[in-house]
Amino acid sequence: MEEAPAITIQGLVKNYGRLQALRGLDLEVRRGEIFGFLGPNGAGKTTTIRCLLDLIWPNGGTLRVLGMDPQRQSLAVRTRCGYLPGELHIEDSLTVEKALRYLNDLRGGKADWSYIRQLAERLDLGLKTQVRNLSKGNKQKVGVVQALMHRPELLLLDEPTSGLDPLMQQEVLSLVAEARLAGATVFFSSHILSEVQEISDRVGIIRQGTLVEVAETQALIKRSLRRVRLRFKGPVPVEALTALPGVSQLVRGDGQSLVLQVEGEMDGLIKALAAFPVLDFETERPSLEEIFLAYYSGG
Ligand code: ATP
């Protein structure tokens, strides 16, 4: 029998009173991939993850996590997943080590301590420190360790690098990538586009509780808009270029210098340009950030 996808979400609806946080979200995460769940503040990322772990109940839709129904098999889902919440609440009076022992026991004590020590070392996290004395960033590291420590099949990470300095952000991304290499599936939410671009195989963009795009990360970058800066020997009829399919003018120039936006193939523009004396031609690929902003602003 074919293995079920790591996550299947169909028509997920979640209301908080009159606020519709999720409005029929559909999403599938394949086994073994890193899926970046990208969206602005308030888009519904945390709500989605909390529904997947049966921490809140949706108002509609169906969910499957590792082939299981999180509402019926809540415990099994939670033991087979590693979850990093946006804010981890841990008992203040414990040391990091005791807190991790406690969390490990809750999940059946599957974690091995040499791995926990290794994770703590890589994140420069002192196991003997009391939780109440931890900075925000160090608390986040405890969250990362407890999510990874039992080597779960599926990692659900809510903004994993939040509050960490750049060096530690990089370390967390490496740990996530290594977990995937060891066979785990990773679903992580973020509004930091560069990190999604760096490690995810696919990206889903959520806006106002619905998914507006799912694509291979590289394809999304490649397929979409390109910016072309042009300088000509003399003024050119701009309309001859903007009439081409997928070509529009980004910055209104003097007819001699132009900034165009090209969607899709460049071939049409390049052939049309052959009719004019071009002095300079420069093209830039947009970052995922620009692509995202285009979606966010409704473009
Ligand atoms: P962020 O990037 O800021 O964490 P998010 O994409 O994770 O945002 P959610 O936290 O899922 O977004 O919130 C979605 C919407 O639901 C927001 O408008 C938020 O204010 C609202 N919301 C979330 N939790 C609750 C709650 N417990 N009660 C009422 N409204 C809530």
Side-chain angles (χ1 to χ4, degrees):
M1 205 176 80
E2 205 179 301
E3 208 175 27
I7 297 175
T8 309
I9 301 177
Q10 284 168 338
L12 187 64
V13 173
K14 174 68 190 172
N15 305 323
Y16 295 108
R18 295 171 75 180
L19 182 117
Q20 271 199 303
L22 298 176
R23 310 166 185 226
L25 183 85
D26 296 311
L27 180 70
E28 190 174 287
V29 177
R30 303 170 189 149
R31 296 261 183 166
E33 72 174 337
I34 300 185
F35 190 99
F37 194 36
L38 201 58
N41 292 130
K45 304 183 293 296
T46 301
T47 301
T48 306
I49 294 178
R50 290 175 68 81
C51 287
L52 289 171
L53 286 163
D54 193 41
L55 298 170
I56 51 173
W57 276 28
N59 296 88
T62 50
L63 295 170
R64 289 291 176 273
V65 177
L66 301 169
M68 298 178 285
D69 177 348
Q71 286 182 20
R72 288 163 181 249
Q73 292 159 283
S74 170
L75 193 65
V77 166
R78 287 187 212 176
T79 33
R80 287 171 64 184
C81 291
Y83 170 46
L84 171 67
E87 248 172 73
L88 182 70
H89 298 286
I90 350 173
E91 176 58 48
D92 259 5
S93 61
L94 298 177
T95 60
V96 170
E97 184 172 336
K98 286 205 170 119
L100 291 172
R101 270 191 204 286
Y102 171 72
L103 292 166
N104 188 27
D105 287 346
L106 280 184
R107 297 195 194 111
K110 277 202 294 181
D112 75 79
W113 273 89
S114 65
Y115 184 49
I116 295 180
R117 277 193 207 99
Q118 199 185 320
L119 290 170
E121 204 164 298
R122 282 185 59 181
L123 293 171
D124 199 16
L125 171 70
L127 289 174
K128 300 290 175 205
T129 316
Q130 274 209 332
V131 170
R132 75 160 61 88
N133 296 331
L134 291 174
S135 65
K136 188 167 177 272
N138 282 333
K139 230 179 205 168
Q140 179 72 1
K141 293 177 192 175
V142 179
V144 172
V145 173
Q146 64 80 35
L148 290 166
M149 67 185 181
H150 54 304
R151 301 183 195 269
E153 283 161 72
L154 173 61
L155 282 162
L156 298 162
L157 309 174
D158 200 350
E159 312 216 354
T161 61
S162 156
L164 299 175
D165 65 44
L167 216 62
M168 282 302 143
Q169 287 184 357
Q170 213 49 47
E171 197 60 36
V172 168
L173 295 183
S174 303
L175 287 170
V176 169
E178 287 165 31
R180 190 270 294 269
L181 278 180
T185 304
V186 183
F187 180 67
F188 82 107
S189 80
S190 177
H191 52 251
I192 305 170
L193 308 139
S194 56
E195 70 181 24
V196 174
Q197 189 165 334
E198 193 178 322
I199 63 162
S200 58
D201 303 300
R202 289 196 305 151
V203 54
I205 298 173
I206 179 175
R207 201 174 95 213
Q208 294 173 357
T210 49
L211 208 70
V212 291
E213 174 78 16
V214 178
E216 307 283 332
T217 312
Q218 289 312 315
L220 188 62
I221 294 167
K222 260 194 215 139
R223 185 198 65 195
S224 57
L225 317 175
R226 225 182 288 236
R227 191 175 301 140
V228 181
R229 292 175 196 279
L230 291 159
R231 213 152 50 80
F232 300 93
K233 214 166 184 179
V236 298
V238 180
E239 315 73 54
L241 302 175
T242 52
L244 297 165
V247 178
S248 57
Q249 191 172 0
L250 264 188
V251 181
R252 200 159 288 283
D254 51 11
Q256 220 166 315
S257 309
L258 273 182
V259 184
L260 300 175
Q261 180 170 281
V262 184
E263 194 180 344
E265 299 276 326
M266 291 283 280
D267 193 55
L269 177 66
I270 287 170
K271 291 199 170 124
L273 285 173
F276 306 105
V278 178
L279 287 179
D280 201 5
F281 177 98
E282 215 180 303
T283 137
E284 297 163 16
R285 270 192 205 294
S287 65
L288 201 48
E289 184 135 13
E290 288 167 291
I291 298 166
F292 170 68
L293 288 174
Y295 278 112
Y296 182 42
S297 59

